[in-house]
Amino acid sequence: MRYLFIENYIWLIPVLPLIGAVINLLIGSRLNRSMVSILAVGSITLSFILSVIVYVHLISLPPGNRHFIDSVYQWIHVGSFGVGLSFLVDQLSIVMILIVSGVSSVIHLYSVGYMHGDKRFSRYFGFLNLFAFSMLLLVLSNSILLMFVGWEGVGLCSYLLIGFWFEKLENAKAGMKAFVVNRIGDFGFLTGFLLLFTVMGSKTGVWSLDFGVIKSNIMLMPPAVLTAVGLLLFVGATGKSAQIPLYVWLPDAMAGPTPVSALIHAATMVTAGVYMIARMNFLYSLAPDALRVIAIVGALTAFFAATIGLVQNDIKKVLAYSTVSQLGYMFIGVGVGAFASGIFHLMTHAFFKALLFLGSGSVIHAMSGEQDIRKMGGLAKKLPITAATFIVAYLAISGVPGFAGFFSKDDILYNAYISPYGGPFVWTLGVLGAVLTAFYMTRLVILTFFGKPRMDQHTSEHVHESPKTMTIPLIVLAILSVIGGYIGMPEIFGVNNLFAQFLGPVFASGVKLPEGSIGLEWTLMVVSVVMAFTGIGIGYYMYVVNPDMPAALADRFKTVYAWLLNKYYVDEFYFKYVIEPLMYFKGLLLRFDNRVIDGSVNGVARFGKRLSDFEGAFDRIVVDGAVNAVGDGIVSAGSTLRRIQTGFVQSYVMYAIIGLAILLAIVLL
């Protein structure tokens, strides 16, 4: 009975932050800041607590029965087609809601200190709660249509939060850029699931968008359609999860408040595409060509973004490109059919990437807004908690053994090597990306926390550690960045991979990967570790042992350095060959609209006016004239005949005799 109670109240998990959002957006400006904070942090924390309760209930069930649906009401009902407002809880969605609500709770708490002086305090937390609601709706939905609602919701919230400080033109442009680029991806997503819906309906007679129904009938779909649907859905994922070629919005999203960056990069929006592909694993397992495309795009993105991160000087920009790169690893995982590995890296990445962004926010907060790492240095002494926790996240993302990122990244690289959808090419790009990641993160840590201080005297005197509301979340995430990986330790360590086993029933109908030998797995792991330490060693040598070397290399290879520093001029390329042609085409359409469409409408209007003027004149002159003439004639005749009415009998007798005489004359003559 207790379990039934839990299963019937799953809807509270997304609704709780929605309540916080509605109250803060409607009446938050009338509440004091403490009340706003309690409402915002409390609502998402309650959502996390409820998620934990649901998780405890779920693992109490037999592995094969660990799924249930909470149907709230019938949303759409047309003939035999219906879509319910239903929430699906299984091993995959429970992992996601724990990540989303848990990491979001920490970020909400951190925001209380970070945004304490902002004039739009309540609006910020309203948007933040709304963001968490949209993401929870996305991962809990039982149908593609409801998922799409959450999908669009996170897109809208990202626009609102990236451009939160819209007074700066740069921020407003960044928000608009994120919104427009995501609409391109969303068009692919929408086209994909509509194609799936119509072909499945016409082929099988089953008109449904529920995941369970689609999964039951997916075998009846033509392979070519499944490939097309898989690729179209992946277009949506490239937009939401910042993969080539739609990654360009994510680095610019740094214009928003730093906690927003942490929320977007770690727990919400960018993970939506990875989750969607994992949720649709039953479709992708029948579309191998789509899987190969996902794996290759993920590998290229992981390597490509890492090269850009090598030379960036904005602390948040370095982390932004690292996010794009790490998302590439997640897509390698799901692309080679190792869906559990992709979700595992999504989870560990949520911990250490949220920690990195919140740590960067603490640094920026201490540096009075400065984000250029060339103007930092020596901050470890003045920011001990921030530095220590940031270094933990750095070791995790670099793939150092013992930290969370090592286990998840190694799992992906191993599966990429043995999978028929991956192979040496994908694995090599992944390993090279890992080397570059270790290098640029080493550069970032050294330039920020070590060496001689390079900030001005005034800033140096005011550098101080952040308040507890900001450092406690850092400590919590640092702990998770260490222990979070042990839940997915590979079996070559003599333990069970608990994470893969837990998710096993969800991906049971997915891709069956070949078994690799223990020797091969150890060899690949050693290579991965050696490459990670190689990247760290090169970074240490260039920025500690021989600090003049980076400038010398930049001067010697000016062209390469300029290309990396300017991000391969991709934004400029898009502007010149995509945006400018579109703007020119828009101008043509505007002129066509003004001259042809509006011209035709205006011409018809002018013709109508002239015709109405003519009709008015005709009516006034001819019709009214004739009527008036008849009236005037009658009036005139009446006036004349009125003179006959004298009132004398003699006159009437005389008129009668005259009339009679006239009649007789007429008759006789």
Side-chain angles (χ1 to χ4, degrees), residues 255-507:
T258 299
V260 172
S261 304
L263 194 62
I264 291 176
H265 286 245
T268 58
M269 193 157 171
V270 297
T271 63
V274 181
Y275 169 76
M276 182 270 292
I277 290 177
R279 173 58 68 195
M280 300 294 289
N281 68 88
F282 52 86
L283 182 148
Y284 282 101
S285 64
L286 300 175
D289 291 336
L291 282 180
R292 290 189 183 92
V293 171
I294 293 171
I296 291 172
V297 170
L300 290 173
T301 304
F303 177 75
F304 177 79
T307 60
I308 298 176
L310 293 175
V311 298
Q312 298 303 308
N313 296 312
D314 185 315
I315 186 171
K316 290 176 69 177
K317 282 288 178 69
V318 176
L319 298 179
Y321 280 103
S322 81
T323 298
V324 177
S325 180
Q326 295 302 309
L327 287 166
Y329 285 101
M330 297 176 210
F331 279 102
I332 292 175
V334 296
V336 300
F339 298 103
S341 300
I343 297 298
F344 184 35
H345 195 57
L346 184 156
M347 182 188 75
T348 61
H349 177 263
F351 299 149
F352 61 71
K353 185 49 60 69
L355 177 54
L356 287 169
F357 267 109
L358 297 186
S360 73
S362 182
V363 170
I364 295 168
H365 184 264
M367 292 288 296
S368 304
E370 181 60 65
Q371 297 185 195
D372 192 333
I373 57 177
R374 293 171 298 183
K375 300 177 181 178
M376 299 181 185
L379 294 177
K381 294 180 181 177
K382 296 186 176 181
L383 308 175
I385 299 175
T386 299
T389 53
F390 197 96
I391 290 171
V392 169
Y394 148 65
L395 295 174
I397 194 175
S398 299
V400 173
F403 293 85
F406 162 73
F407 297 110
S408 57
K409 191 181 294 183
D410 182 73
D411 195 24
I412 286 175
L413 291 176
Y414 169 68
N415 284 305
Y417 191 86
I418 65 172
S419 171
Y421 310 116
F425 175 71
V426 173
W427 177 82
T428 302
L429 285 177
V431 170
L432 291 176
V435 177
L436 298 177
T437 300
F439 171 79
Y440 68 68
M441 288 304 301
T442 301
R443 170 179 177 264
L444 177 64
V445 168
I446 291 174
L447 291 180
T448 304
F449 294 106
F450 299 101
K452 294 181 180 179
R454 297 179 295 279
M455 69 286 291
D456 57 63
Q457 185 66 27
H458 176 76
T459 303
S460 178
E461 292 174 352
H462 290 82
V463 172
H464 60 279
E465 185 59 278
S466 297
K468 288 185 178 179
T469 53
M470 294 172 67
T471 55
I472 289 176
L474 298 181
I475 295 170
V476 172
L477 289 169
I479 294 171
L480 291 172
S481 297
V482 176
I483 67 173
Y486 288 90
I487 195 174
M489 287 180 67
E491 295 180 354
I492 59 171
F493 286 103
V495 297
N496 291 325
N497 189 328
L498 299 177
F499 193 82
Q501 285 185 355
F502 180 69
L503 290 177
V506 180
F507 304 130

Side-chain angles (χ1 to χ4, degrees), residues 604-628:
V604 170
R606 283 194 292 271
F607 175 76
K609 183 176 181 301
R610 291 179 180 176
L611 180 62
S612 65
D613 289 343
F614 173 77
E615 288 179 344
F618 180 83
D619 180 70
R620 187 173 60 255
I621 298 171
V622 179
V623 178
D624 289 353
V627 172
N628 291 337

Side-chain angles (χ1 to χ4, degrees), residues 582-609:
L582 286 175
M583 294 298 287
Y584 178 74
F585 184 62
K586 185 213 73 173
L588 289 178
L589 291 178
L590 180 63
R591 287 196 288 274
F592 179 79
D593 181 62
N594 287 337
R595 297 177 183 178
V596 179
I597 305 298
D598 288 354
S600 301
V601 173
N602 292 337
V604 170
R606 283 194 292 271
F607 175 76
K609 183 176 181 301

Side-chain angles (χ1 to χ4, degrees), residues 567-580:
K567 300 157 285 187
Y568 294 101
Y569 299 100
V570 171
D571 282 337
E572 290 78 3
F573 175 85
Y574 280 169
F575 185 79
K576 184 173 181 58
Y577 295 104
V578 178
I579 296 175
E580 278 193 348

